[in-house]
Amino acid sequence: MAVSRELSRFVRDALAQGRSREEIAEALGASGWSASEVADALGAWAETAFSPPVPRPQTTVSARDFFVYALTFGLMVTGAIYLVQLLHVLIDMALDDDNFASPSRIRWAIAVLVVATPVYLWLTLRERAKLAADPALYRSAIRKWLTYITLLLSAAVLLGDLIAVIYAFLSGDFTLQFLLKALVVAGVAGLIFLFYLNDIRKGDAA
């Protein structure tokens, strides 16, 4: 929740005058500010005896972050989709003699992966180096949003994959071919989820 400038200025001035956080919270609450607004306003200032009050680090937003992280996550999603498609086609070719996969589908999936994979890896490694050199970059709001969106999408895919497996088992359509395809989806989505979950944890610890 964004804190208004007036509220932030009031809290800063009150802390600078030696008012306790309890007194400030009580005064703001009596004036109609909600508990969450009060908590956010007070949380923006470090709990130190130093005067004037010391601001806490805040999240940042920049056009550069949007371009880099949107491109990175877009490449990741595209690459994951075509990797799953390619592996599914190969499973069909290996286990179903009557299945004749379109060569164009295989060629297109390989072409996408040949382009998307190295670009994604380059962008990711480049950003990891910058994050290691300057942990303050972990506070990028765009980076956090896109990371959590990625976690949401991968978790939804994992749950959908599990539902499909259970449904196939109950309906009698559970075959080795289906199982291998489900494992491919779970493997790709699971690796993405674990990778970005670890990334979030690193950001919280930074």
Side-chain angles (χ1 to χ4, degrees):
M1 180 183 296
V3 178
S4 70
R5 292 184 178 181
E6 293 78 9
L7 179 58
S8 179
R9 189 179 301 114
F10 171 83
V11 172
R12 180 197 62 191
D13 294 342
L15 290 171
Q17 294 173 11
R19 297 286 188 174
S20 69
R21 291 175 177 264
E22 291 75 17
E23 290 177 314
I24 298 172
E26 183 178 352
L28 290 173
S31 300
W33 293 96
S34 68
S36 60
E37 290 173 321
V38 174
D40 287 341
L42 289 171
W45 303 95
E47 296 187 40
T48 64
F50 189 85
S51 185
V54 180
R56 295 185 190 275
Q58 300 296 313
T59 56
T60 60
V61 177
S62 71
R64 181 259 178 200
D65 285 349
F66 175 78
F67 171 76
V68 172
Y69 289 118
L71 178 60
T72 302
F73 290 120
L75 288 169
M76 181 270 298
V77 171
T78 302
I81 290 173
Y82 280 95
L83 175 60
V84 168
Q85 177 181 302
L86 176 61
L87 293 176
H88 280 191
V89 171
L90 295 177
I91 290 172
D92 286 337
M93 293 176 62
L95 299 181
D96 189 354
D97 294 334
D98 297 327
N99 181 279
F100 297 96
S102 171
S104 62
R105 289 182 61 193
I106 298 176
R107 288 195 294 267
W108 184 257
I110 293 175
V112 171
L113 291 172
V114 166
V115 173
T117 302
V119 177
Y120 169 77
L121 291 176
W122 176 73
L123 287 172
T124 300
L125 293 175
R126 181 171 172 267
E127 288 305 302
R128 289 295 178 277
K130 289 189 174 184
L131 290 168
D134 185 8
L137 297 176
Y138 276 109
R139 291 194 290 271
S140 169
I142 292 174
R143 176 184 170 278
K144 288 182 178 180
W145 269 97
L146 288 176
T147 302
Y148 275 110
I149 289 173
T150 302
L151 289 175
L152 175 63
L153 292 176
S154 56
V157 170
L158 286 170
L159 291 174
D161 191 49
L162 178 60
I163 291 172
V165 169
I166 295 174
Y167 177 81
F169 178 78
L170 295 176
S171 61
D173 296 328
F174 193 77
T175 63
L176 176 60
Q177 190 173 351
F178 180 86
L179 175 61
L180 291 177
K181 288 185 176 182
L183 289 176
V184 165
V185 173
V188 173
L191 288 175
I192 292 173
F193 184 87
L194 292 176
F195 178 79
Y196 284 100
L197 179 62
N198 182 61
D199 194 56
I200 284 291
R201 289 172 175 171
K202 285 183 179 180
D204 292 339

